[in-house]
Amino acid sequence: MTLKKKILTGYGVAFFLMGLVIAWAIANLISLGQATNAILSENYKSILAAENMLNALERQDSSLLLALLGNKEAGIAEFRVKEADFIAWLARANDNITIDGEAELIKAIKSGYEDYRHQFAAFTDLRNAPFDADSGLTKYQQTFYPIFMKVREACIGLRNLNEETMYAASVKANNVARRAIWSTALIAVSAIILALMFSLILAERITRPIKSFMKASRKISAGDYTVTVPVETQDELGNLASEFNQMAQQLSHYHELNIEQIVAEKNKAEAILYSIEDAIVVFDYNLNVNGINPAARKLFKLELPETTSLNFTNIIENHHLKELIQKIADTGEQTMIPEEQRIISFTNSGQARHYLFSATPVLGKERSLSGIILLLRDVTRLKEVERMKSEFVMAASHELRTPITSLGMSIDLLQEHAVSTMAEKDRDLLQAAHEEVHRLKTLVNNLLDLYKLEAGKIELEIEVFPISTIFEQIKSVFKNQASIKEISLICKEIEGEQLPLIRADANKIAWILSNLISNALRYSAKGGKITLAAQKIGTQAQLSVSDDGPGIPLEYQSKIFQKFVQIKGRQSGGSGLGLAICKEIVRAHGGAIWVDSEPGKGSIFTFTLPIAD
């Protein structure tokens, strides 16, 4: 039998028992109705007839007395009317003889009433004979009253007989009703018990395989793939058990293959992790150490083979790096930080070593954080090479400064004294040499300034001044150049009345603004607009130079502040050091500089400076 047929059978049994109870209740109601109907049809009619006969007989008796007392006409007339009523109710009683003894009583009523009528007829025949009251009462007491009482007692007997029979029928109906109640209740309780037992048995037969499925599922969830579910029936649950056992076998086979693959991948990952010379630390989503290679173990001076109980706060001391890892753990997103801010130093055996770090989140299902990988690349040698390169550039620039100055003076003397005797071609060559020497001198000076800024050897002449002052100064310097190119130079101070004073080296800030405006003038088209703006952001003042020029390609926006970087196709004869020097000057003031640009829609260079208070 299929599961569907079992369930339908269960419902069918319940409906059958319910129908049985309803049918039994209907049968009892019909029986009770029949008993009640018997009371009405068999007894009530006879009682009603007896009552009406008594009433008519008593009225006739009163009419007879009236006639005997002297008012014969009225008495006889009333007697005849009631006589017809009596005969009519007697006929109804005679037609409703249903119980024993009732026929004899009706026969006695008929006989007595015939005698009563006969005596009354004899009396009416003497209606003209004189009667006095005494003789009339005597006649009544001797002749009519005994007959009246005989008929009256027979009518009362008929009524009493039917009343007793009705009472007996009522008791019988009550008994029938009581039996109906108890029998219906008994059948209903029996039906409920049978339905409950059948439901429990059916539910057990249906749920027993389901419990086996649940138990087997728990074992599979716990990793036991050898579990099987017994096939006890041939219905859908039995088919499901067979399919479940087949699925468990397939899962067991897949698990064995998957475990081997996972172990192989784990060993491969560990081999890769241990073979990398850079320090790598793997944290889980709770920022506990989940994996660490020998280079990181040596860097953090960890000698214990087991490190899973360590948290990132136990091995990392750098406050900036701690904040970065915590932020990634909170947001689940990688934070973009400039390369120069991703270098931290460790002291080992009295020597400082520099590491370039990167923290990368590992995302699981639904883009949730499952871990963080911290990579620390040893850049000590690169830093040393960069330092040696900077020192070499500084030394070379310093050594070149004197000969370049001498060469420039010589060319200036030639232009002053010998240019009139030279041919035009020679004058052009001399002018070109003058320009190249001037450019070379500027390059050397920029290199020396940049080295001093990077080495922290340049002295800043810090003073307090309003932003509007330096804006007006820069605007007056570039007024003519902007007018020649028909470019609008606008100074826009946001909330200018409330801007605080800034604390900085005015000459260096003017140099930054001059460099940014020069670049904007160089690349802006005729009729363009350059805007200088300032606003207060927290404890810093934010200054910006914006233009509506060609903008900066996205791939150059992260490199534009590096040394000697120029946008391809836009070389203007400069050295590519201007923005690098701007960056170092801003850093020396404790601020930051960045660019926001969209190709074809201009650029906005922004930097921050500390406010005076």
Side-chain angles (χ1 to χ4, degrees):
M1 183 183 293
T2 63
L3 183 62
K4 181 179 179 181
K5 289 183 178 179
K6 289 181 181 179
I7 295 174
L8 291 177
T9 301
Y11 282 117
V13 170
F15 285 132
F16 171 76
L17 293 174
M18 187 185 300
L20 180 63
V21 172
I22 294 172
W24 185 257
I26 292 173
N28 286 325
L29 289 174
I30 292 173
S31 176
L32 183 62
Q34 289 176 349
T36 305
N37 187 48
I39 294 173
L40 295 175
S41 61
E42 295 177 4
N43 304 113
Y44 181 72
K45 292 180 181 179
S46 297
I47 292 172
L48 184 63
E51 287 289 343
N52 284 286
M53 285 191 293
L54 279 172
N55 183 44
L57 182 64
E58 290 175 352
R59 296 293 298 274
Q60 283 180 307
D61 185 64
S62 299
S63 301
L64 179 59
L65 284 173
L66 180 63
L68 290 173
L69 292 176
N71 193 354
K72 292 183 180 180
E73 296 297 332
I76 292 171
E78 180 69 20
F79 187 91
R80 295 303 181 188
V81 171
K82 296 302 176 181
E83 182 182 20
D85 290 342
F86 186 91
I87 293 172
W89 285 109
L90 179 61
R92 291 186 184 182
N94 187 55
D95 293 337
N96 193 43
I97 299 174
T98 56
I99 56 177
D100 295 338
E102 191 174 13
E104 289 78 3
L105 289 173
I106 292 176
K107 184 176 180 181
I109 292 171
K110 285 182 179 180
S111 174
Y113 191 70
E114 287 296 331
D115 190 17
Y116 189 72
R117 290 176 63 199
H118 178 73
Q119 291 296 331
F120 185 78
F123 170 70
T124 55
D125 291 340
L126 301 174
R127 66 174 65 181
N128 294 322
F131 280 96
D132 56 10
D134 294 334
S135 61
L137 289 174
T138 302
K139 177 70 174 177
Y140 173 77
Q141 291 176 353
Q142 292 178 356
T143 306
F144 291 101
Y145 183 72
I147 300 172
F148 166 75
M149 290 302 297
K150 181 180 178 181
V151 176
R152 184 175 182 276
E153 289 176 357
C155 290
I156 292 173
L158 179 63
R159 183 187 67 183
N160 292 338
L161 178 63
N162 280 276
E163 285 179 349
E164 291 173 358
T165 305
M166 180 181 285
Y167 178 76
S170 175
V171 172
K172 180 180 178 182
N174 288 334
N175 293 332
V176 171
R178 191 178 298 108
R179 285 196 303 272
I181 292 172
W182 283 107
S183 61
T184 303
L186 180 62
I187 292 178
V189 171
S190 301
I192 291 173
I193 294 174
L194 289 175
L196 182 61
M197 293 176 60
F198 186 81
S199 300
L200 291 175
I201 295 172
L202 182 62
E204 179 64 23
R205 289 179 61 85
I206 293 175
T207 57
R208 185 169 62 248
I210 297 177
K211 292 178 181 178
S212 301
F213 289 137
M214 293 174 61
K215 185 177 180 181
S217 299
R218 293 192 191 99
K219 290 184 177 180
I220 290 178
S221 300
D224 183 9
Y225 296 98
T226 60
V227 65
T228 58
V229 177
V231 181
E232 300 177 350
T233 60
Q234 300 299 321
D235 54 12
E236 290 87 344
L237 292 176
N239 297 333
L240 180 60
S242 301
E243 295 294 333
F244 186 89
N245 294 334
Q246 185 176 359
M247 179 195 70
Q249 294 177 359
Q250 294 294 333
L251 284 175
S252 177
H253 180 65
Y254 175 76
H255 178 69
E256 293 175 358
L257 295 177
N258 199 29
I259 287 295
E260 294 178 359
Q261 185 178 1
I262 291 174
V263 171
E265 292 296 329
K266 184 176 183 296
N267 294 334
K268 187 189 299 183
E270 290 181 351
I272 294 173
L273 182 66
Y274 278 79
S275 64
I276 295 177
E277 296 181 356
D278 296 326
I280 296 180
V281 184
V282 181
F283 301 101
D284 60 15
Y285 62 91
N286 289 324
L287 298 182
N288 295 321
V289 177
N290 197 23
I292 186 169
N293 68 345
R297 194 184 301 275
K298 180 179 178 181
L299 176 63
F300 294 111
K301 301 176 183 179
L302 299 175
E303 298 180 356
L304 296 175
E306 185 63 39
T307 58
T308 55
S309 60
L310 293 177
N311 191 265
F312 83 110
T313 56
N314 302 126
I315 63 173
I316 299 175
E317 298 179 356
N318 186 275
H319 180 69
H320 175 62
L321 183 55
K322 281 184 179 180
E323 287 185 346
L324 174 65
I325 294 176
Q326 187 63 56
K327 183 178 180 181
I328 293 176
D330 294 338
T331 62
E333 298 179 357
Q334 189 168 10
T335 303
M336 302 303 297
I337 301 176
E339 185 174 321
E340 62 272 8
Q341 297 181 17
R342 293 194 291 115
I343 296 178
I344 58 176
S345 300
F346 291 88
T347 303
N348 190 6
S349 300
Q351 295 182 353
R353 301 196 67 83
H354 308 285
Y355 290 86
L356 178 68
F357 69 84
S358 63
T360 305
V362 180
L363 303 180
K365 288 184 177 180
E366 298 180 358
R367 306 292 296 174
S368 60
L369 182 72
S370 61
I372 297 175
I373 298 177
L374 175 64
L375 172 66
L376 296 106
R377 183 178 304 166
D378 191 347
V379 294
T380 305
R381 186 176 180 182
L382 295 177
K383 293 285 289 185
E384 185 65 21
V385 170
E386 185 177 357
R387 183 188 64 80
M388 294 174 63
K389 180 183 69 174
S390 298
E391 289 180 354
F392 170 77
V393 171
M394 187 275 296
S397 300
H398 190 272
E399 293 298 326
L400 287 172
R401 201 172 199 180
T402 300
I404 289 174
T405 302
S406 300
L407 185 59
M409 291 177 63
S410 299
I411 292 175
D412 290 340
L413 288 173
L414 284 174
Q415 283 184 321
E416 184 178 351
H417 299 289
V419 69
S420 58
T421 61
M422 292 181 180
E424 183 178 356
K425 184 178 181 180
D426 295 334
R427 288 198 299 269
D428 293 339
L429 290 174
L430 187 61
Q431 180 63 29
H434 174 77
E435 293 175 356
E436 290 299 322
V437 168
H438 180 71
R439 189 175 68 85
L440 187 59
K441 185 177 180 181
T442 302
L443 175 60
V444 170
N445 290 333
N446 286 340
L447 285 172
L448 290 172
D449 291 340
L450 183 60
Y451 171 75
K452 291 178 181 180
L453 287 167
E454 290 179 342
K457 294 180 179 181
I458 193 168
E459 294 183 0
L460 299 177
E461 297 179 1
I462 301 298
E463 56 182 314
V464 176
F465 58 91
I467 297 174
S468 58
T469 301
I470 199 166
F471 274 6
E472 292 299 329
Q473 178 185 346
I474 296 299
K475 185 176 180 181
S476 63
V477 171
F478 288 95
K479 181 178 181 181
N480 292 333
Q481 297 182 39
S483 239
I484 292 171
K485 292 197 67 173
E486 299 180 4
I487 292 176
S488 301
L489 185 58
I490 302 171
C491 294
K492 180 182 179 183
E493 295 184 31
I494 301 176
E495 300 181 3
E497 296 289 335
Q498 302 176 4
L499 270 180
L501 302 177
I502 61 173
R503 187 173 181 273
D505 187 328
N507 292 328
K508 296 295 187 294
I509 302 306
W511 191 94
I512 294 174
L513 292 173
S514 298
N515 186 276
L516 295 177
I517 293 174
S518 295
N519 291 338
L521 285 171
R522 185 179 299 117
Y523 296 112
S524 295
K526 183 180 292 188
K529 181 174 68 173
I530 299 174
T531 303
L532 282 75
Q535 59 179 331
K536 179 184 177 182
I537 303 294
T539 60
Q540 291 184 323
Q542 184 172 289
L543 287 71
S544 63
V545 177
S546 59
D547 62 70
D548 52 5
I552 299 173
L554 185 62
E555 62 271 17
Y556 282 97
Q557 292 182 17
S558 60
K559 305 175 183 178
I560 198 69
F561 294 101
Q562 297 177 8
K563 290 177 284 190
F564 305 110
V565 173
Q566 291 181 305
I567 300 175
K568 187 176 181 180
R570 297 189 192 176
Q571 291 83 354
S572 59
S575 60
L577 295 174
L579 292 178
I581 294 173
C582 291
K583 176 182 175 183
E584 295 300 329
I585 293 175
V586 172
R587 286 182 60 188
H589 283 81
I593 186 170
W594 66 91
V595 64
D596 296 309
S597 180
E598 185 176 349
K601 295 186 179 180
S603 305
I604 303 175
F605 285 86
T606 308
F607 63 95
T608 59
L609 295 172
I611 60 176
D613 53 354

